């Protein structure tokens, strides 16, 4: 009786574990196969792209700002920055 119960418990656990692995790896099997064959994916760096875009926007704002004519206007701009 005990050996049959242990076989049922372990086969159930094996079935559950196999099912969970199939469900989690299944949708990504092409990606996993590519990585296993040695094809490296390009890195994803959204922050670097964002920093470049923000720098570009800042330069455009700076370039489109009117040139101050008087010294007090320059002082106000420096204080604001």
């Amino acid at each position: 009786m005990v050996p049959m119960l242990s076989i049922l418990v372990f086969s159930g656990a094996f079935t559950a574990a196999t099912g969970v692995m199939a469900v989690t790896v299944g949708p990504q099997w092409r990606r996993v196969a590519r990585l296993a064959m040695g094809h490296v994916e390009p890195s994803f760096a959204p922050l670097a792209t964002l920093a470049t875009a923000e720098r570009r926007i800042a330069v455009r704002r700076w370039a489109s700002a009117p040139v101050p004519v008087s010294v007090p206007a320059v002082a106000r701009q420096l204080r604001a920055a």
Side-chain angles (χ1 to χ4, degrees):
M1 176 82 171
V2 174
M4 180 60 84
L5 183 63
S6 64
I7 289 172
L8 287 174
V9 168
F10 283 111
S11 65
F14 177 75
T15 304
T18 305
V20 167
M21 284 189 282
V23 168
T24 56
V25 175
Q28 299 287 332
W29 72 270
R30 287 189 180 114
R31 182 177 176 202
V32 171
R34 274 195 312 268
L35 289 172
M37 288 187 289
H39 299 284
V40 180
E41 294 180 338
S43 62
F44 180 65
L47 293 180
T49 307
L50 180 64
T52 304
E54 285 181 353
R55 220 175 295 119
R56 195 176 325 129
I57 291 169
V59 167
R60 286 182 185 160
R61 284 185 184 157
W62 174 80
S64 66
V67 177
V69 199
S70 65
V71 173
V74 172
R76 265 187 264 122
Q77 273 188 342
L78 289 175
R79 254 185 270 132

